[in-house]
Amino acid sequence: MSDARQAIRAAESALGPGYAVPLRSARALLERAQLQLEAGAYAEAREYAIEARKEALRARDQADNPQLRP
């Protein structure tokens, strides 16, 4: 989950405040991961965290490539 949090922070820094929407999915997935972790569902928590990281990296890529921006 730490990797996902770091990826979200990096994307936030790269995108700036005007790009909250691309990170919404990553944040939602990270929240699900946290809930699964608290419930003891470690495998599910890990999967959600991995997906959150992927979404955050995708959002960060939008900052790096203007053609990908919404």
Side-chain angles (χ1 to χ4, degrees), residues 12-69:
E12 288 170 339
S13 294
L15 290 168
Y19 286 91
V21 173
L23 291 172
R24 188 178 299 154
S25 176
R27 287 190 193 106
L29 288 163
L30 185 59
E31 186 176 325
R32 286 183 177 179
Q34 184 64 43
L35 291 172
Q36 293 299 317
L37 184 65
E38 291 169 5
Y42 303 113
E44 291 85 354
R46 182 177 186 274
E47 291 303 316
Y48 280 122
I50 289 169
E51 289 304 313
R53 181 179 180 274
K54 287 179 186 176
E55 287 294 318
L57 293 175
R58 199 171 291 128
R60 190 196 64 201
D61 288 344
Q62 288 180 349
D64 294 339
N65 186 346
Q67 292 178 339
L68 297 176
R69 290 184 184 176

